[in-house]
Amino acid sequence: MTGALSAQQAQSLKEFRDFADLRIAPHADSWHRAQRTPPEVVRLLADEGLLGLPVPSRYGGGGCDAVTLGLLAGELGRACSSVRSLLTVHTMVAHAVARWGDRALKETWLPRLASGETIGALAVSEPGAGSDASAVTTRLVRDGDDWIVDGHKKWITYGQSADLFLVVGQSDQGPTALLVERDTPGLRTELIEDLVGIRASMTAHVYLERCRVPGAQLLARPGLGVSHVVGAALDLGRYTVGWGCVGILDACLEASVDYASQREQFGSLIKEHQLVRRMITGMYTDARAARLLALEAGRLRDEGDPGALAATSTAKHFAATAAGRAALDAVQIHGANGCGSDYPVQRYLGDSRVMEVIEGSTQLHQVGLAEYAFQERALRRSIR
Ligand SMILES: Cc1cc2nc3c(=O)[nH]c(=O)nc-3n(C[C@H](O)[C@H](O)[C@H](O)COP(=O)(O)OP(=O)(O)OC[C@H]3O[C@@H](n4cnc5c(N)ncnc54)[C@H](O)[C@@H]3O)c2cc1C
């Protein structure tokens, strides 16, 4: 299904696929078991220019289009959802800086984020603030030109290894976003182990105790931290997570087709059994549909179409729930082998669970997407 791609995008897809097959996929299970992403892997992604791919070229990034970024997220997601999540959070931070940083902030951080010299993490969630990001209680208090930051962030992907945190807290003017460097006195992180999925993602607590942060690290005006800064970051995060789920769907399909083609029961390959075929048909259909939705979202993003927001949420919602179904069926097709750790489908099952929680849970999408349907209907009526 590469017909909708330009020649350049098709070439990039081939390169991403080779990279993911050769450099990431063979090691994903061992990183998953070790619950770590080796620093050399982060270095490798940075050296290949992959972490800076969407950063504008005037800041040293690849300046790629949205479709190309999606293709990369899809191939990394097929190989290893943890590594894909590094791309997601790092590019969310870079995007927020590009969109909401002032000139000095962009000139300071974007070249470093583009090269991967600095790895970014998004620190919004807290023990008491998840889906409702505006409920964060981290305190940001002005002290001269600086901010003093006190709070506890939780579930921060690559928080254990990132260099720069986009922290959202409450100032006197409401939710406010700041960039906080890892070596800021008072900042410490603690790895969260035994996650159900993306187990190599170095997800961590981030504790901030009287951290002094220069005022120049502010993103957007105080008060716009959630509505504008997190809003922009989340929109991009949804996009790459949606593509990552396309990758999980592909991985489930590949593993299931291979397994069903060599496993025999009752005197025939299990791929001959109709109920096994039904599960593979479901995955095949969902994988194609999810890819088309993700491609449509990418195309609309590249065209600057206002419908891109709804298309991105739709693609993420469909792909995440379809990846959940596919991972369940992939485990079922593998039987007992799906319940063990000799095959990667167990990893896909855990990873797919996380995809329905992050970047807007399935329930938030179920509640929210209907709004787009009402809006689009009202718009059509008003035009007539
Ligand atoms: C592995 C992992 C990595 C993460 N990485 C990051 C990160 O890098 N940075 C970061 O800031 N956060 C991160 N998070 C946190 C993530 O953003 C939150 O988990 C997510 O926002 C959901 O919040 P919650 O888990 O507190 O669930 P809650 O918001 O407490 O929701 C609990 C349940 O209630 C449902 N629910 C909540 N509100 C509604 C509603 N209005 N209508 C219907 N149902 C509702 C939810 O769908 C869910 O089923 C990560 C989480 C995980 C698991």
Side-chain angles (χ1 to χ4, degrees), residues 64-139:
C64 79
D65 56 48
V67 168
T68 302
L69 175 63
L71 296 172
L72 173 61
E75 291 310 310
L76 292 180
R78 186 172 57 83
C80 175
S81 288
S82 293
V83 169
R84 194 275 311 140
S85 72
L86 172 66
L87 176 78
T88 290
V89 293
H90 181 78
T91 53
M92 285 168 93
V93 173
H95 180 63
V97 174
R99 181 74 185 80
W100 290 108
D102 62 18
R103 198 167 148 190
L105 208 67
K106 287 186 211 180
E107 281 170 4
T108 303
W109 290 112
L110 286 180
R112 298 184 207 181
L113 291 165
S115 69
E117 175 194 340
T118 295
I119 297 297
L122 187 83
V124 179
S125 301
E126 298 178 358
S131 301
D132 180 7
S134 63
V136 292
T137 57
T138 292
R139 287 298 305 157

Side-chain angles (χ1 to χ4, degrees), residues 13-290:
L13 174 59
K14 189 185 169 315
E15 288 166 14
F16 299 153
R17 201 163 269 174
D18 289 347
F19 176 82
D21 282 343
L22 292 173
R23 312 298 295 270
I24 304 295
H27 312 289
D29 279 324
S30 77
W31 301 335
H32 170 85
R33 275 193 287 276
Q35 301 190 54
R36 301 284 187 281
T37 305
E40 312 84 72
V41 178
V42 180
R43 209 49 278 140
L44 174 67
L45 288 159
D47 291 348
E48 292 286 325
L50 299 177
L51 293 177
L53 210 58
V55 175
S57 38
R58 68 178 173 283
Y59 296 108
C64 79
D65 56 48
V67 168
T68 302
L69 175 63
L71 296 172
L72 173 61
E75 291 310 310
L76 292 180
R78 186 172 57 83
C80 175
S81 288
S82 293
V83 169
R84 194 275 311 140
S85 72
L86 172 66
L87 176 78
T88 290
V89 293
H90 181 78
T91 53
M92 285 168 93
V93 173
H95 180 63
V97 174
R99 181 74 185 80
W100 290 108
D102 62 18
R103 198 167 148 190
L105 208 67
K106 287 186 211 180
E107 281 170 4
T108 303
W109 290 112
L110 286 180
R112 298 184 207 181
L113 291 165
S115 69
E117 175 194 340
T118 295
I119 297 297
L122 187 83
V124 179
S125 301
E126 298 178 358
S131 301
D132 180 7
S134 63
V136 292
T137 57
T138 292
R139 287 298 305 157
L140 308 184
V141 177
R142 237 27 254 228
D143 185 34
D145 288 341
D146 299 336
W147 292 91
I148 306 295
V149 185
D150 279 286
H152 172 193
K153 297 293 177 182
K154 194 174 179 190
W155 309 114
I156 309 311
T157 303
Y158 285 92
Q160 189 63 3
S161 54
D163 310 295
L164 185 70
F165 298 91
L166 194 171
V167 173
V168 179
Q170 299 288 350
S171 72
D172 284 350
Q173 288 140 290
T176 298
L178 284 178
L179 294 177
V180 183
E181 294 183 66
R182 167 175 288 279
D183 59 8
T184 306
L187 187 152
R188 90 187 149 82
T189 63
E190 184 187 319
L191 190 67
I192 300 175
E193 294 196 270
D194 294 327
L195 291 170
V196 70
I198 61 165
R199 286 166 66 89
S201 65
M202 320 286 284
T203 293
H205 296 270
V206 179
Y207 299 99
L208 302 122
E209 284 171 42
R210 290 202 60 73
C211 290
R212 180 172 289 275
V213 179
Q217 300 279 71
L218 178 72
L219 278 167
R221 281 204 320 272
L224 303 184
V226 169
S227 57
H228 292 57
V229 181
V230 176
L234 260 186
D235 173 46
L236 185 70
R238 273 183 193 150
Y239 179 66
T240 57
V241 167
W243 270 105
C245 293
V246 173
I248 295 176
L249 277 155
D250 285 344
C252 289
L253 183 60
E254 286 171 12
S256 300
V257 165
D258 289 352
Y259 192 80
S261 303
Q262 52 85 18
R263 174 77 174 171
E264 280 187 27
Q265 288 295 291
F266 297 100
S268 64
L269 292 169
I270 62 168
K271 75 172 187 180
E272 305 303 339
H273 299 309
Q274 287 185 343
L275 291 177
V276 172
R277 295 182 81 88
R278 190 200 65 75
M279 289 189 271
I280 289 177
T281 296
M283 276 179 221
Y284 180 71
T285 315
D286 277 349
R288 294 184 76 111

Side-chain angles (χ1 to χ4, degrees), residues 301-335:
R301 297 175 80 85
D302 284 331
E303 290 169 1
D305 190 303
L309 213 58
T312 298
S313 283
T314 307
K316 190 273 175 180
H317 176 56
F318 183 84
T321 48
R325 291 192 292 275
L328 276 175
D329 282 349
V331 167
Q332 192 66 18
I333 287 170
H334 283 68

